[in-house]
């Protein structure tokens, strides 16, 4: 591969942490928001990209940007869950981003 062993370890650690964060189901403090990835798994036809640039360009994030999940798509800097800060306003009392579309 030709890369320094330290570079390989650092890249692997960051890749594992990013994957764990995106698939954990939790919005952890001081970590990137997993909301876009969670919305991708909810719909499977939105939010294909990693950074969201191509999704924005091709319009594959339109439903996500119209949902409550997009309002929670920020880095969490407090210990108050974003679901409490930006609650779902569903009529049935169930909390689901699919109902907010």
């Amino acid at each position: 591969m030709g890369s320094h062993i330290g570079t390989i370890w650092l890249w692997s650690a960051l890749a594992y942490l990013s994957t764990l964060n995106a698939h954990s189901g939790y919005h952890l403090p001081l970590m990137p928001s997993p909301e876009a990835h969670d919305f991708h798994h909810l719909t499977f036809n939105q939010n294909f990209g990693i950074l969201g640039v191509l999704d924005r360009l091709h319009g594959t994030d339109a439903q996500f940007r119209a949902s409550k999940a997009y309002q929670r798509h920020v880095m969490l800097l407090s210990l108050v869950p974003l679901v409490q800060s930006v609650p779902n306003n569903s009529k049935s009392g169930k909390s689901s981003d699919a109902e907010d579309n």
Side-chain angles (χ1 to χ4, degrees):
M1 191 177 217
S3 298
H4 188 273
I5 190 71
T7 304
I8 294 170
W9 275 98
L10 180 63
W11 185 90
S12 296
L14 291 174
Y16 289 137
L17 285 173
S18 176
T19 301
L20 285 171
N21 182 52
H23 291 98
S24 70
Y26 296 102
H27 199 142
L28 303 172
L30 303 176
M31 295 289 285
S33 171
E35 297 288 339
H37 192 84
D38 291 346
F39 198 82
H40 165 74
H41 283 282
L42 181 67
T43 59
F44 288 108
N45 63 356
Q46 295 281 308
N47 298 348
F48 296 106
I50 295 172
L51 299 175
V53 176
L54 291 176
D55 287 317
R56 186 69 177 242
L57 181 66
H58 295 287
T60 55
D61 66 345
Q63 289 178 1
F64 174 63
R65 284 188 283 119
S67 72
K68 287 283 187 181
Y70 184 70
Q71 294 175 12
R72 291 189 293 263
H73 189 56
V74 294
M75 183 177 288
L76 182 60
L77 298 176
S78 73
L79 296 177
V80 176
L82 285 172
V83 174
Q84 288 180 1
S85 302
V86 184
N88 289 333
N89 295 328
S90 63
K91 295 174 185 76
S92 65
K94 294 180 182 175
S95 139
S96 172
D97 288 328
E99 295 173 0
D100 293 333
N101 293 334

